[in-house]
């Protein structure tokens, strides 16, 4: 993939992919500048970047949730931000799902430990806005985020993306699959897993949609993807255990469907543990997706939440994601400006072709079908 990025939460590829009580119930107030950062929809609203930094440092903390350190290089992202601004980061439920994030916003509303910011699959970001859980905010690089990758008012905006991939512990699996169709082979009995439940986790949801595309489905019909996994379960190939590095190494889930940047991040760790880890982007049902950022409307540290967003969408933050093998949303603009980390950029897979993209209605409909069918049919 050269000079292109993913464009929305789920991208379906035909020929290829062109390119997861400081505050009240209504959120806290930034301190240090006298501005009410809980109401600021841009850095200008609060008095400028210097005022935002001062207020965020005065708050001194940032609450994040569901950010594994080895997911899209979030470990470096968290450490760099904390050191740069002398802000303590409280990281809750690093292995949580997008739905867990939304649940935390509602259940912890008004508490010191409530999430300040969210990293969500796009369908969940839209759900968060619909539930009035997000605060609108436009970062300084707003104009460099394509219109179809952001909410017009700034309730959410895409951040980084990648391809759905098949990770395989080649030390355990004699011949690793490279296509979704191969997952049905009896040789993979009990070995195929998803990263979570598709009703709650965007990566797993994308895995089901990819399976639909590989089996006669479409953007308007995710059903064949559910059928595919039901068949895998009935044949004994699908393991409903959520895949983790530990389950992969133990041989419980040696074949794991997840984003390419997540799977690729496990390569060195698997090698250190004595296992060979292979990652393949399947040629059938090839799919990519973006995750989205949002600020909680009830953030106990509203200034720190907004400073976090400014950092993520700066060249520095975007390059940290790029180093993790993820494709930051501003990559085309950074390449044009010469500010992208070229070494990290050159490590991304090159993919040619054009892509179709689901509408918000198509994605909502697909999620509704998965929610209605998955748990019932997979529990039988």
């Amino acid at each position: 993939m050269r000079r292109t990025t993913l464009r929305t939460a789920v991208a379906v590829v035909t020929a290829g992919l062109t390119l997861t009580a400081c505050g009240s119930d209504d959120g806290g107030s930034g301190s240090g500048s006298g501005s009410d950062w809980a109401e600021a929809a841009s850095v200008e609203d609060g008095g400028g970047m210097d005022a935002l930094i001062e207020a965020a440092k005065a708050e001194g903390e940032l609450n994040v949730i569901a950010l594994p350190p080895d997911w899209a290089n979030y470990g470096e992202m968290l450490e760099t931000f904390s050191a740069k601004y002398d802000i303590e980061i409280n990281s809750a439920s690093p292995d949580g799902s997008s739905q867990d994030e939304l649940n935390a916003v509602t259940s912890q509303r008004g508490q010191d430990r409530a999430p300040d910011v969210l990293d969500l699959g796009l369908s969940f970001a839209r759900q968060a806005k619909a539930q009035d859980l997000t605060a609108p905010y436009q970062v300084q690089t707003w104009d460099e985020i394509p219109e179809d990758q952001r909410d017009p008012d700034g309730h959410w905006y895409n951040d980084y993306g990648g391809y759905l991939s098949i990770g395989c512990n080649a030390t355990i699996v004699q011949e690793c699959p490279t296509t979704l169709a191969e997952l049905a082979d009896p040789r993979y009995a009990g070995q195929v897993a998803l990263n979570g439940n598709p009703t709650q986790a965007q990566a797993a949801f994308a895995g089901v949609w990819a399976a639909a595309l590989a089996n006669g489905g479409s953007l308007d019909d995710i059903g064949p993807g559910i059928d595919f996994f039901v068949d895998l379960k009935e044949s004994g190939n699908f393991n409903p255990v959520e895949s983790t590095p530990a389950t992969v190494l133990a041989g419980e889930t040696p074949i794991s469907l997840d984003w390419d940047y997540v799977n690729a991040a496990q390569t060195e760790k698997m090698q250190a543990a004595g296992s060979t880890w292979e990652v393949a982007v399947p040629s059938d049902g090839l799919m990519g997706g973006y995750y989205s950022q949002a600020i909680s409307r009830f953030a106990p540290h509203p200034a720190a939440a907004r400073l976090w967003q400014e950092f993520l969408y700066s060249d520095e933050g975007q390059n940290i994601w790029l180093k993790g093998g993820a494709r930051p949303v501003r990559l085309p603009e950074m390449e044009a400006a010469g500010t992208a980390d070229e070494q990290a950029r050159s490590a991304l897979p090159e993919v040619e072709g054009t892509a179709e993209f689901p509408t918000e209605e198509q994605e909502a409909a697909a999620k509704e079908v998965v929610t209605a069918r998955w748990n019932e049919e997979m529990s039988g």
Side-chain angles (χ1 to χ4, degrees):
M1 184 192 70
R2 187 174 301 277
R3 297 300 307 278
T4 54
T5 63
L6 296 164
R7 294 179 53 217
T8 189
V10 179
V12 183
V13 177
T14 51
L17 181 59
T18 301
L19 289 171
T20 273
C22 287
S24 68
D25 280 358
D26 292 323
S29 296
S31 55
S33 69
S35 298
D36 186 358
W37 284 101
E39 300 298 325
S42 69
V43 71
E44 291 78 12
D45 287 351
M49 194 65 183
D50 289 343
L52 176 59
I53 294 172
E54 180 184 359
K57 286 185 173 181
E59 291 174 349
E61 296 182 61
L62 175 74
N63 296 344
V64 304
I65 183 171
L67 300 184
D70 56 357
W71 177 286
N73 205 22
Y74 258 120
E76 181 177 344
M77 190 77 78
L78 294 167
E79 292 174 2
T80 303
F81 176 83
S82 181
K84 185 181 183 76
Y85 296 111
D86 193 24
I87 292 174
E88 179 181 358
I89 295 181
N90 306 308
S91 182
S93 304
D95 294 319
S97 67
S98 291
Q99 186 61 57
D100 291 335
E101 296 183 59
L102 301 190
N103 294 344
V105 172
T106 55
S107 67
Q108 298 171 11
R109 177 174 172 176
Q111 300 179 29
D112 286 350
R113 64 192 182 102
D116 288 308
V117 290
L118 305 169
D119 179 285
L120 302 160
L122 181 51
S123 62
F124 291 92
R126 287 169 170 157
Q127 178 183 334
K129 179 187 177 183
Q131 294 177 214
D132 199 23
L133 302 180
T134 56
Y137 184 79
Q138 297 183 8
V139 293
Q140 292 183 99
T141 53
W142 179 256
D143 290 341
E144 294 187 8
I145 303 173
E147 290 185 7
D148 62 353
Q149 295 183 28
R150 67 192 191 194
D151 172 73
D153 296 319
H155 283 273
W156 55 261
Y157 17 96
N158 289 343
D159 43 19
Y160 58 87
Y163 295 99
L164 185 78
S165 67
I166 301 172
C168 176
N169 187 339
T171 302
I172 294 173
V173 180
Q174 186 173 4
E175 185 176 346
C176 288
T178 58
T179 67
L180 294 170
E182 290 179 82
L183 299 180
D185 192 305
R187 77 177 84 177
Y188 302 128
Q191 296 183 329
V192 182
L194 290 167
N195 179 5
N197 186 310
T199 67
Q200 301 184 41
Q202 190 74 15
F205 175 65
V208 175
W209 211 339
L213 297 168
N215 289 277
S218 68
L219 294 179
D220 295 307
D221 184 14
I222 198 172
I226 300 175
D227 296 338
F228 176 77
F229 279 99
V230 169
D231 290 344
L232 280 188
K233 180 177 180 292
E234 292 178 350
S235 71
N237 281 23
F238 181 67
N239 188 338
V241 172
E242 180 177 347
S243 181
T244 68
T247 61
V248 169
L249 284 171
E252 188 175 9
T253 62
I255 300 174
S256 177
L257 273 63
D258 209 334
W259 300 115
D260 59 345
Y261 52 87
V262 178
N263 272 333
Q266 301 303 321
T267 303
E268 291 185 4
K269 295 180 180 179
M270 294 293 176
Q271 185 177 5
S275 291
T276 299
W277 183 242
E278 296 182 1
V279 181
V281 176
S283 57
D284 56 339
L286 187 60
M287 171 175 287
Y290 264 113
Y291 279 77
S292 304
Q293 285 291 321
I295 296 173
S296 170
R297 188 163 73 87
F298 316 111
H301 310 107
R306 285 156 177 77
L307 183 60
W308 173 249
Q309 301 302 322
E310 294 290 355
F311 177 70
L312 295 182
Y313 290 86
S314 69
D315 287 350
E316 184 176 11
Q318 296 276 288
N319 273 321
I320 290 174
W321 274 325
L322 185 59
K323 287 169 62 179
R327 298 162 181 80
V329 71
R330 291 184 50 241
L331 182 56
E333 288 73 17
M334 290 169 62
E335 288 180 305
T339 58
D341 183 320
E342 185 52 37
Q343 182 176 356
R345 168 63 190 84
S346 63
L348 297 179
E350 301 295 334
V351 178
E352 301 296 333
T354 57
E356 297 176 46
F357 300 93
T359 63
E360 180 175 351
E361 291 73 21
Q362 287 172 320
E363 184 170 274
K367 185 178 180 182
E368 183 176 346
V369 171
V370 171
T371 300
R373 292 185 53 191
W374 182 265
N375 289 334
E376 180 179 355
E377 297 191 29
M378 294 300 286
S379 64

